[in-house]
Amino acid sequence: MGQAATAKASGATDRSERPAAEPVHITIRGLTKCFQGAPVYDNFDLDVPRGRFVSVFGPNGCGKSTLINLIAGLIPADAGTILFGGKPLRETKIGYVFQNYREALFPWMSAWKNIEYPLKIAKMDAAERARRVDRLVAHLGVKIDLTRYPYELSGGQQQLVSIMRALVVDPEVLFLDEPFSALDYEMTLFMRDQLQRVFNETRTTMVLVSHDLEEAVYLADRVLLLSRRPATIAAFPDVLLPRPRSDETLSDPAYVHLKGHCLEIFQREVRKA
Amino acid sequence: MKRESLLPLVGVAGLIVVWYLAVWARVVDPVLLPPPEAAFAALVKGMAGGKLGYDFWRTVERTAYATAIAAVIAIPIGVALGSNERIYRSVEFVIDFFRSTPASAMFPLFLVIFGVGDLTKILVAAFGAALVILFNVAYGVMNARKTRLLAAKVMGATRFRVLTDVMLLESLPQTFVGLRNGVSLALVIVVVAEMFIGSTDGLGQRVFEAQQLFEMPDMYAAIFAAGALGYGLNLLFLLMEKRFVHWSGK
Ligand SMILES: Nc1ncnc2c1ncn2[C@@H]1O[C@H](COP(=O)(O)OP(=O)(O)OP(=O)(O)O)[C@@H](O)[C@H]1O
Ligand SMILES: [Mg+2]
């Protein structure tokens, strides 16, 4: 049933190369959310596939952040259901990476303690917490001095700490809201590849909001293109490029073509005043 | 760098020069304005085993009690009020009103209730300081960064955990602002109370008595002692803040 809804939603996109019957992870039905009486989502349906990387792209203020905040339970929905493999949010482990790492990390704790914090919340004992953090550090090959306080680290290092804090609980889904937009270009490129590595290694379902189409397509298995508010799915195309992706991907004709296609849809949506 | 740190001494030297000039030119009656060295001698003599030293420590004691009582009462209430904005809004006017009321206007009331003893002085000062601390703590808690609270929430922290792990620490810089202002206010109130509420010791009483007896060097000595105390208390809290709130402003 989820598959049918997705197929309908993605509209005119060519689906011939789609792998058959992709398992659905997050099922969203009838999602409705208004701010001051004006709807951002009105009876919105979406299926997020399991173990895939979904980028969310759309016009300014169309409701990208609102969507992942609703799914992650940061803000309440007015109506609708959201299930994670059939389970409600409270039975699901999720991770969330905020755009503003400076305001999301705890400056009174060292980077290491920040990463460990969600395990403390989960009432894990100290030895197990240390084991988990060390394992994650080794797994990602992180070379940051984690005894430092967040404000002693660079922006990219701070965001990497935030990502690690979100990953340490082995979340079923990782949400990221424009995680790299406060970083300089060089750092953004580096962090993109760090994130891609994390995804390749963990295959955690990821939902990334991005305002950068190049980045959105580069990282994604599917790109969720939203219309102006109230947001609807303008298109939900697959990105059938091999992983790991690299600089060569950026000049791959398939990549260039898909990016152009997304841009076209985006501009069509923006022009619909 | 070294020379920069000596700059504050310029103002001190300037003040002493102006003082000498005023004495030399007889701008005021020499009885009212003794030369600096006379005041300084009285300060050293008084602090080293004289009555001034005793008075100094009496004032320190009262101010410390007042601030401690204020902090113990105001910080938990401030946290409770700040974590619930609706409750805070409903009592904000009352807090603001009494915060703006000169605490000295409360002397007679406290006198009737608690008598003329030490307790009255300490409690009036505690009352004034508590409102300042309360106000700052509540605002510190209310203005906790929304993102940090959400971050804790999304990691599964309960409301109570969010309060103890995030809000309390978030409000710490503002709490220290409250403590610093509170201790300054407590000192002001204690000194005034010592002057006017039948006191036999304390810096306020010392200043007042020296003035009554026309012992001007002693009076200036007591004033400087009070100034040094106020400055020292502020510095103490600044250093504590630096130590405990290392992330402040970063
Ligand atoms: N708390 C709120 N109160 C009122 N309106 C809100 C609130 N949060 C969001 N909105 C509005 O809802 C719409 C969607 O907001 P949202 O932040 O999800 O957009 P976005 O797509 O993430 O935008 P951006 O590209 O700027 O990040 C916007 O028009 C915004 O003004
Ligand atoms: Mg946004």
Side-chain angles (χ1 to χ4, degrees):
Chain A
M1 162 215 149
Q3 197 55 40
T6 314
K8 189 179 69 181
S10 56
T13 324
D14 175 23
R15 316 193 49 79
S16 55
E17 290 176 276
R18 274 306 287 296
E22 209 170 37
V24 174
H25 194 171
I26 311 173
T27 317
I28 300 167
R29 290 292 174 273
L31 184 68
T32 301
K33 177 74 186 177
C34 298
F35 286 119
Q36 282 121 26
V40 180
Y41 287 96
D42 187 9
N43 212 1
F44 181 85
D45 295 347
L46 174 71
D47 286 320
V48 175
R50 185 181 288 276
R52 298 274 151 172
F53 195 117
V54 174
S55 292
V56 184
F57 188 76
N60 278 333
C62 72
K64 303 181 289 294
S65 302
T66 303
L67 179 63
I68 65 169
N69 290 346
L70 286 165
I71 305 176
L74 292 182
I75 53 175
D78 297 341
T81 56
I82 301 171
L83 292 175
F84 298 79
K87 296 176 302 175
L89 174 66
R90 83 188 113 74
E91 292 167 28
T92 309
K93 268 187 286 182
I94 60 164
Y96 192 112
V97 178
F98 294 84
Q99 173 181 11
N100 194 339
Y101 46 82
R102 233 175 236 116
E103 292 194 354
L105 289 173
F106 302 140
W108 48 84
M109 293 177 181
S110 67
W112 207 91
K113 293 247 161 158
N114 264 283
I115 299 169
E116 182 197 32
Y117 182 75
L119 301 177
K120 252 184 169 159
I121 291 283
K123 301 197 173 70
M124 207 172 273
D125 66 56
E128 176 66 9
R129 294 199 303 259
R131 211 181 57 75
R132 287 266 210 135
V133 177
D134 287 338
R135 193 184 62 188
L136 183 67
V137 170
H139 193 63
L140 300 181
V142 172
K143 290 180 197 69
I144 305 174
D145 180 2
L146 295 175
T147 60
R148 304 239 149 227
Y149 288 106
Y151 55 80
E152 297 174 310
L153 303 176
S154 76
Q157 291 174 327
Q158 288 182 50
Q159 195 57 298
L160 194 55
V161 170
S162 305
I163 293 174
M164 289 169 74
R165 182 175 73 172
L167 284 173
V168 76
V169 292
D170 292 329
E172 293 167 47
V173 191
L174 181 65
F175 298 96
L176 307 105
D177 190 358
E178 304 199 16
F180 311 139
S181 60
L183 303 176
D184 63 39
Y185 190 63
E186 188 188 338
M187 203 31 126
T188 302
L189 293 184
F190 173 72
M191 290 299 293
R192 255 181 221 174
D193 284 318
Q194 291 280 97
L195 183 62
Q196 184 182 210
R197 262 194 56 206
V198 171
F199 176 72
N200 288 346
E201 309 231 332
T202 64
R203 290 286 158 176
T204 308
T205 306
M206 294 196 184
V207 182
L208 167 90
V209 172
S210 177
H211 66 282
D212 178 345
L213 186 57
E214 179 180 292
E215 168 177 296
V217 177
Y218 178 81
L219 287 170
D221 295 310
R222 293 188 72 180
V223 183
L224 177 64
L225 292 158
L226 293 175
S227 71
R228 277 193 180 285
R229 72 184 274 198
T232 54
I233 300 175
F236 197 12
D238 292 288
V239 185
L240 298 164
L241 297 163
R243 288 184 189 274
R245 294 172 189 164
S246 63
D247 291 347
E248 279 130 59
T249 309
L250 297 174
S251 48
D252 183 328
Y255 170 84
V256 175
H257 176 261
L258 182 60
K259 204 178 99 182
H261 175 66
C262 291
L263 186 61
E264 220 170 88
I265 296 168
F266 171 74
Q267 278 172 335
R268 195 182 68 212
E269 290 304 325
V270 168
R271 266 187 238 111
K272 276 190 207 162
Chain B
M1 184 57 214
K2 253 241 166 84
R3 286 177 53 164
E4 293 288 305
S5 62
L6 292 178
L7 275 179
L9 292 180
V10 176
V12 176
L15 179 70
I16 293 172
V17 168
V18 171
W19 190 343
Y20 267 121
L21 284 175
V23 171
W24 172 75
R26 296 185 165 251
V27 178
V28 281
D29 190 324
V31 177
L32 297 184
L33 189 68
E37 70 267 18
F40 188 69
L43 180 64
V44 171
K45 191 161 151 272
M47 288 304 287
K51 172 116 192 332
L52 182 59
Y54 175 72
D55 286 321
F56 183 87
W57 287 111
R58 287 295 289 147
T59 301
V60 169
E61 201 182 324
R62 290 184 181 118
T63 308
Y65 275 128
T67 310
I69 292 171
V72 166
I73 294 173
I75 293 177
I77 299 180
V79 170
L81 292 181
S83 58
N84 192 326
E85 199 155 342
R86 278 178 65 86
I87 299 183
Y88 185 77
R89 292 294 166 217
S90 58
V91 294
E92 182 173 28
F93 175 73
V94 177
I95 292 173
D96 240 6
F97 184 85
F98 281 104
R99 199 170 63 96
S100 315
T101 308
S104 42
M106 307 297 284
F107 281 162
L109 177 63
F110 278 74
L111 272 174
V112 196
I113 303 175
F114 300 105
V116 286
D118 247 12
L119 190 63
T120 303
K121 301 181 190 72
I122 292 171
L123 289 184
V124 182
F127 173 78
L131 289 167
V132 173
I133 297 171
L134 179 82
F135 176 84
N136 277 287
V137 172
Y139 262 89
V141 172
M142 272 190 289
N143 292 338
R145 294 292 159 81
K146 194 97 187 295
T147 314
R148 261 177 218 136
L149 304 180
L150 285 177
K153 187 182 156 190
V154 87
M155 289 186 269
T158 57
R159 267 188 63 122
F160 183 73
R161 276 313 280 268
V162 173
L163 179 72
T164 56
D165 292 1
V166 187
M167 279 190 179
L168 273 186
L169 285 139
E170 276 275 279
S171 67
L172 221 47
Q174 193 69 29
T175 299
F176 267 98
V177 171
L179 284 173
R180 255 186 312 126
N181 291 335
V183 76
S184 299
L185 183 63
L187 178 62
V188 169
I189 299 172
V190 164
V191 168
V192 174
E194 287 167 347
M195 283 184 186
F196 300 116
I197 305 183
S199 198
T200 53
D201 51 29
L203 284 174
Q205 189 268 345
R206 185 93 217 108
V207 172
F208 192 66
E209 193 185 65
Q211 183 249 6
Q212 294 290 300
L213 300 174
F214 270 98
E215 288 167 351
M216 285 306 152
D218 281 351
M219 191 192 82
Y220 285 101
I223 292 174
F224 286 135
L229 178 53
Y231 189 86
L233 287 173
N234 198 42
L235 196 64
L236 178 71
F237 277 86
L238 271 179
L239 290 177
M240 269 171 33
E241 180 176 349
K242 256 218 170 109
R243 174 95 175 61
F244 290 113
V245 198
H246 55 85
W247 65 91
S248 175
K250 282 175 182 155

